[in-house]
Amino acid sequence: RIRRVDDGVLRRAIECAIAAPNRSGSEPWRFIKLGKETIARLVELRGRIEGSGGSFVSWTRVPHWIVVTYPRKKPDSGPDGNMQQREDFKSVCCAVQNFMLSMWSEGIGTKWTDGPIQRTDEFAEICGVEKEKEKVAGVIWYGFAKGGLNRGVQAKYRKRGVEEVLDILP
């Protein structure tokens, strides 16, 4: 039996997400919660495009999905448009981090995923993404982890420590 995550938890995570820093107060993010019918359509799309091998079965069992988008640069916007789109994506990354930390604080596991299916016209149509105006930053899957967070999971250790990634200049 799959435990459902209360929508109050989702709302709190979105509140944390939209508190993320963003260039000039642009607030470039959009979050689209997918329901069971929409998820079923995406599962069918994935089956048609990639088949049913690999991690297909495990990811179709994730109960909650949020699509995250940000504005696409306007045609002929030149270097300034490219820079704005890059800054918007960085802001969305901050928002996603906040979202995931909020979920974690309430005992909810998350995974931010991206893949070729999310760049298809069919995905955009199913999820209500206006491809001419926005880009998909990814999908966040979320739900209760079996046995809870940090239980029965081998801790991941970083390959490099702080001393190896931090340079201090005079």
Side-chain angles (χ1 to χ4, degrees):
R1 185 171 93 72
I2 295 175
R3 286 178 58 195
R4 307 297 298 167
V5 175
D6 182 78
D7 277 345
V9 174
L10 171 62
R11 291 188 69 78
R12 287 188 292 279
I14 297 290
E15 286 173 2
C16 288
I18 65 176
N22 58 96
R23 182 180 185 195
S24 302
S26 62
E27 300 181 357
W29 38 71
R30 182 163 82 108
F31 298 86
I32 307 165
K33 179 183 176 188
L34 306 184
K36 288 180 184 180
E37 290 176 21
T38 306
I39 292 170
R41 290 178 66 195
L42 292 177
V43 168
E44 189 272 327
L45 173 64
R46 167 108 188 305
R48 274 191 292 116
I49 292 175
E50 294 184 356
S52 59
S55 63
F56 180 70
V57 173
S58 64
W59 74 256
T60 61
R61 292 186 182 150
V62 176
H64 303 286
W65 299 29
I66 292 280
V67 175
V68 184
T69 69
Y70 63 102
R72 181 178 294 278
K73 71 177 182 125
K74 292 180 175 76
D76 302 323
S77 59
D80 288 342
N82 289 337
M83 179 58 78
Q84 181 64 50
Q85 186 170 284
R86 177 179 152 82
E87 294 297 322
D88 287 347
F89 181 71
K90 291 179 350 185
S91 295
V92 167
C93 290
C94 293
V96 168
Q97 169 91 8
N98 286 4
F99 179 97
M100 294 173 77
L101 288 171
S102 176
M103 287 289 191
W104 179 267
S105 76
E106 299 209 37
I108 310 298
T110 58
K111 179 180 179 180
W112 183 12
T113 183
D114 179 39
I117 290 174
Q118 296 174 20
R119 291 183 281 280
T120 66
D121 291 338
E122 295 92 341
F123 180 91
E125 180 189 332
I126 290 169
C127 297
V129 173
E130 297 181 60
K131 280 191 77 171
E132 305 78 35
K133 295 181 180 179
E134 59 189 337
K135 295 179 68 109
V136 174
V139 174
I140 304 171
W141 295 327
Y142 65 98
F144 289 97
K146 285 184 180 176
L149 298 176
N150 289 332
R151 292 192 181 89
V153 176
Q154 185 72 346
K156 292 182 181 179
Y157 293 95
R158 299 288 173 208
K159 294 175 187 164
R160 303 184 320 167
V162 172
E163 290 75 22
E164 296 169 293
V165 299
L166 175 64
D167 291 333
I168 300 175
L169 302 177

